[in-house]
Amino acid sequence: MGGRESTMVLLDSEGRRCDGRRVDEPRRIMIKAGGLKNADGSAYIEFGDNKIIAGVFGPREVHPKHLSDTDTGILRVRYHMAPFSVGERKNPAPSRREIEISKVIKEALEPAVMLEQFPRTVVDVFLEVIQADGGTRCAALSAASVALADAGIPMRDMVAACAAGKVADTIILDVNNEEDQAGQADMPIGYMPGLEKITLLQLDGVLTPDEYKRCVRVGIDGCKIVYDLQKKALAEKYFGGQQ
Ligand code: UDP
């Protein structure tokens, strides 16, 4: 990003992106609720070539005990990339990047989860990236919401996430790995569509104030697409597809 412009054609003369998508077209998204027998709630997401499993455990007793809060439950999130999830083997030890992503996902989920109903407990969210291709934090956050709902944790809204960005001076929806590496900006957004509230907004790259506003609008449109698929995934598991 920024200064990493490559010679790759990110947008051709017909307005097609490097993977053939239009500027406002997300990658193929598939969300499934459930799947992990030993978790209280779980979900699986494919977001383009990203493949991520989310497992939720709790509310349960906090260990170590001194971390518990008598007024509310707490949320813990661990985002982790499998060593085989990327082209060049990733060290399995938690990297600074994974610690940061775990923190931003936790903070993006907290406004949605009604933890005050479960004082002294913890809800653990494990996010395992088994294949990564740009945009894993958004895909993982979207899967985490479905897994929390699948665990029966009361929520004010779902958090749906999608990135917008800028390549070849054009605002695009859902940034893939090549566009992330060689483009001009990447803006992951987490959004509660029912409450119309943004819970995650990061920006890597440089945008003018006008481009910034357009990116937020485009990103929110992407979140709404994800939101429909999250609801569909839960409806499929619990109501045989009826929403
Ligand atoms: N990536 C990688 N090796 C790493 C970390 C990331 O190949 O150790 C790739 C991976 O495809 C990831 C992308 O770089 O999705 C972009 O990473 P970024 O930190 O921007 O987070 P993301 O876009 O996945 O939320």
Side-chain angles (χ1 to χ4, degrees), residues 58-76 114-123:
R60 60 184 179 181
E61 212 176 300
V62 187
H63 294 290
K65 266 216 156 65
H66 71 265
L67 292 178
S68 74
D69 188 329
T70 48
D71 294 328
T72 182
I74 57 170
L75 192 65
R76 276 193 303 223
M114 298 163 90
L115 291 163
E116 64 282 0
Q117 294 190 12
F118 306 99
R120 294 190 182 85
T121 69
V122 60
V123 173

Side-chain angles (χ1 to χ4, degrees), residues 158-172:
M158 297 292 280
V159 183
C162 192
K166 180 179 163 189
V167 298
D169 296 323
T170 306
I171 302 302
I172 55 159

Side-chain angles (χ1 to χ4, degrees), residues 118-187:
F118 306 99
R120 294 190 182 85
T121 69
V122 60
V123 173
D124 281 301
V125 181
F126 294 95
L127 300 164
E128 277 299 316
V129 179
I130 54 178
Q131 188 167 285
D133 189 41
T136 59
R137 79 195 62 204
C138 288
L141 173 53
S142 302
S145 286
V146 175
L148 283 161
D150 183 48
I153 313 273
M155 292 166 79
R156 293 179 180 85
D157 199 355
M158 297 292 280
V159 183
C162 192
K166 180 179 163 189
V167 298
D169 296 323
T170 306
I171 302 302
I172 55 159
L173 175 64
D174 183 21
V175 180
N176 70 24
N177 199 30
E178 282 81 39
E179 293 168 335
D180 183 21
Q181 299 297 315
Q184 295 160 305
D186 177 27
M187 180 193 277

